[in-house]
Amino acid sequence: MRAVIQRVTRASVTVDSQCVSAVGLGLLVLLGVSKHDSQSDCDYVVQKILGLRIFNDAEGKMNLSVQETGGAILVVSQFTLYGDARKGRRPGFDLAAAGTDAEHWYSQVVAGLRSSGLRVSTGKFGEHMQVELENDGPVTLLLDSGKAF
């Protein structure tokens, strides 16, 4: 799994001109699922997202997690994180999981995040979405569960 994690002051998802989800202070997570992902990848990504100390403490140091701040999380599926653009000009998506598998693991990540008690919102899986955000910092991190072990 790959996740682009952005610390945001606000983020929202619009589908067909309708806002389907919005959060304030917290994280925007763009999540890509590979055809090789398993429960261990899911668990790794969930724990990392919840535990990353990327919010400022009282002294202005990045020392707090989203759990410690009580922030919200907006999770958006993004298969293009598995786009391979090394050859030619059109990316290939051979490593991206098929729709039903990707949706299963996306749902598992969302459920794992929700089990923390935080407010977790989502985009609409498989839909064309417009994502709007205000990145705070900016703070943006890339997680790749395949490089974690």
Side-chain angles (χ1 to χ4, degrees):
M1 272 179 210
R2 289 184 180 154
V4 174
I5 300 167
Q6 298 180 76
R7 186 178 76 183
V8 297
T9 54
R10 63 174 179 78
S12 63
V13 175
T14 302
V15 176
D16 294 328
S17 301
Q18 298 291 322
C19 181
V20 296
S21 289
V23 297
L25 184 66
L27 299 174
L28 170 64
V29 177
L30 305 174
L31 183 70
V33 179
S34 116
K35 62 184 177 181
H36 302 294
D37 286 334
S38 66
Q39 188 63 50
S40 64
D41 296 288
C42 178
D43 295 342
Y44 173 81
V45 168
V46 168
Q47 293 310 308
K48 276 294 193 181
I49 292 168
L50 292 174
L52 281 171
R53 294 170 30 184
I54 58 174
F55 290 88
N56 293 348
D57 63 15
E59 285 133 29
K61 293 188 179 200
M62 287 198 309
N63 210 19
L64 302 174
S65 70
V66 69
Q67 286 186 294
E68 293 166 315
T69 64
I73 303 173
L74 175 57
V75 185
V76 177
S77 63
Q78 189 167 3
F79 82 96
T80 60
L81 289 176
Y82 277 97
D84 183 353
R86 291 178 292 177
K87 294 181 187 173
R89 296 181 305 162
R90 182 179 304 173
F93 298 98
D94 293 342
L95 290 178
T100 54
D101 290 337
E103 188 170 15
H104 167 76
W105 290 117
Y106 170 79
S107 296
Q108 291 299 305
V109 168
V110 169
L113 294 171
R114 285 183 173 150
S115 72
S116 72
L118 293 176
R119 181 172 157 245
V120 179
S121 300
T122 64
K124 285 201 168 187
F125 187 90
E127 295 289 328
H128 184 90
M129 298 173 270
Q130 286 75 46
V131 179
E132 186 176 332
L133 70 133
E134 186 173 88
N135 193 318
D136 182 30
V139 175
T140 302
L141 297 169
L142 174 63
L143 290 181
D144 189 330
S145 65
K147 294 180 181 177
F149 305 103

